[in-house]
């Protein structure tokens, strides 16, 4: 029997298959994610440390935590999480991403369990995690509610789920589509479909319907002068992230 994969949009996964070799090129097609990494890691690590009372000044503060990076791509987040001590499973629906992620982790001396699978297949297998990272994936799936429901099943009671995506605003059309795909040409044209973007209120609603309790949201704001990203309490108009818990 084939593993369930009802959240997979084959056309979306094919886009990532085509770019798989570029994951670790900081000047390649995933340049926006490389640039965003310090800012989003700041948010992710702070939320996890808060939830599990971990001290980020320690060398391996996430020791003992089981973490799933769903839609892991080349492992841009799986690797820093493993370095911080988490026991990481990285899962992606695009098969070509996995060898790229595996080779890079091996060369970095990191042990990460990378799998070609989906959230729904992991949920059906009864896997659970303390932390599920779900970063920049929900705007690429076939059915966001079904996908988030599968992600919910993967978080153990008392666990945390971090989910980032792109808002559906005039500004996000200008920045994420015109800017990133047409002007900067970071991403191939057609990488993002504006109509699949989700507003923060819609995402909170979907998260609640999936069984999560959303507890925080912040914007990721790009400053074109300093060429850096920062977290914002108020500006969620383009990229943003949410933290949700599953009551213990
Ligand atoms: C924009 S990338 C984000 C990669 C990584 N999370 C990061 O932020 O660096 C989206 C990833 O989600 C994967 N993906 C798309 N649909 C998926 C699904 N239904 N289940 C699991 N992964 C999926 C793609 O193959 C791709 O690697
Ligand atoms: Mg995206």
């Amino acid at each position: 029997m084939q593993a369930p994969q009802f959240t997979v949009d084959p056309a979306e996964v094919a886009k990532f298959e085509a770019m798989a070799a570029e994951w670790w090129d900081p000047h390649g097609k995933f340049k926006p994610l490389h640039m965003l990494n310090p800012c989003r890691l700041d948010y992710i690590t702070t939320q996890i440390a808060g939830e599990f009372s971990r001290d980020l000044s320690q060398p391996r503060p996430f020791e003992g935590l089981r973490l799933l990076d769903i839609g892991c791509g080349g492992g841009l987040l799986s690797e820093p999480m493993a370095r911080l001590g988490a026991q990481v499973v990285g899962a992606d629906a695009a098969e070509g991403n996995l060898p790229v992620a595996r080779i890079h982790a091996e060369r970095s001396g990191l042990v990460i369990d990378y799998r070609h699978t989906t959230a729904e297949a992991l949920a059906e297998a009864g896997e659970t995690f303390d932390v599920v990272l779900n970063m920049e994936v929900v705007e690429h799936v076939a059915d966001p509610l079904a996908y988030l429901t599968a992600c919910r099943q993967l978080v153990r009671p008392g666990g945390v789920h971090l989910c980032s995506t792109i808002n559906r605003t005039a500004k996000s059309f200008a920045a994420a589509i015109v800017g990133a795909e047409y002007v900067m040409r970071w991403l191939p044209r057609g990488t993002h479909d504006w109509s699949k973007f989700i507003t923060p209120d819609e995402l909170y609603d979907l998260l609640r319907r999936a069984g999560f309790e959303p507890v925080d949201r912040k914007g990721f704001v790009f400053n074109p002068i300093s060429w850096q990203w920062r977290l914002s309490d108020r500006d969620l108009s383009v990229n943003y992230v949410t933290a949700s818990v599953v009551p213990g």
Side-chain angles (χ1 to χ4, degrees), residues 138-152:
V138 73
E139 74 275 19
H140 298 287
V141 305
D143 179 342
L145 181 58
Y147 174 70
L148 290 171
T149 302
C151 291
R152 161 65 190 85

Side-chain angles (χ1 to χ4, degrees), residues 33-244:
L33 291 179
H34 282 273
M35 288 194 299
L36 180 57
N37 242 18
C39 177
R40 60 187 186 158
L41 281 167
D42 178 18
Y43 186 81
I44 290 167
T45 54
T46 303
Q47 290 295 323
I48 299 173
E51 195 59 31
F52 296 98
S53 306
R54 299 301 173 104
D55 176 357
L56 288 174
S57 68
Q58 295 299 309
R60 288 171 66 83
F62 297 163
E63 198 86 60
L65 294 179
R66 188 159 193 259
L67 180 148
L68 172 67
D69 183 9
I70 183 73
C72 62
L76 302 189
L77 294 169
S78 296
E79 289 203 7
M81 292 298 114
R83 239 175 237 117
L84 291 169
Q87 185 194 330
V88 179
V89 174
D92 203 286
E95 193 166 11
N97 288 337
L98 284 311
V100 175
R102 283 188 193 114
I103 289 166
H104 198 275
E106 202 180 302
R107 286 186 185 153
S108 308
L110 295 167
V111 177
I112 296 171
D113 179 359
Y114 281 118
R115 304 187 200 171
H116 175 220
T117 187
T118 61
E120 52 275 28
L122 289 166
E124 197 181 82
E127 300 245 9
T128 58
F129 299 86
D130 300 295
V131 181
V132 172
L133 291 188
N134 187 2
M135 305 294 283
E136 313 299 327
V137 185
V138 73
E139 74 275 19
H140 298 287
V141 305
D143 179 342
L145 181 58
Y147 174 70
L148 290 171
T149 302
C151 291
R152 161 65 190 85
Q153 287 173 262
L154 292 166
V155 182
R156 72 154 171 83
V160 62
H161 172 251
L162 299 155
C163 182
S164 66
T165 188
I166 309 178
N167 199 345
R168 196 175 62 262
T169 58
K171 198 173 167 193
S172 76
F173 185 80
I177 299 196
V178 179
E181 295 182 12
Y182 288 79
V183 179
M184 303 308 289
R185 298 190 188 170
W186 285 330
L187 293 164
R189 291 178 189 181
T191 299
H192 284 117
D193 175 352
W194 186 79
S195 69
K196 294 190 95 176
F197 291 173
I198 301 171
T199 70
D201 286 346
E202 288 167 353
L203 186 59
Y204 260 29
D205 182 54
L206 286 166
L207 287 164
R208 288 197 182 99
R209 285 161 68 197
F212 285 112
E213 192 182 302
V215 292
D216 187 59
R217 58 190 188 187
K218 296 263 186 302
F220 291 139
V221 180
F222 183 64
N223 180 333
I225 310 287
S226 66
W227 209 245
Q228 281 183 347
W229 293 81
R230 65 177 170 83
L231 288 169
S232 170
D233 287 328
R234 275 173 308 176
D235 184 358
L236 283 71
S237 60
V238 184
N239 295 82
Y240 67 97
V241 60
T242 62
S244 310

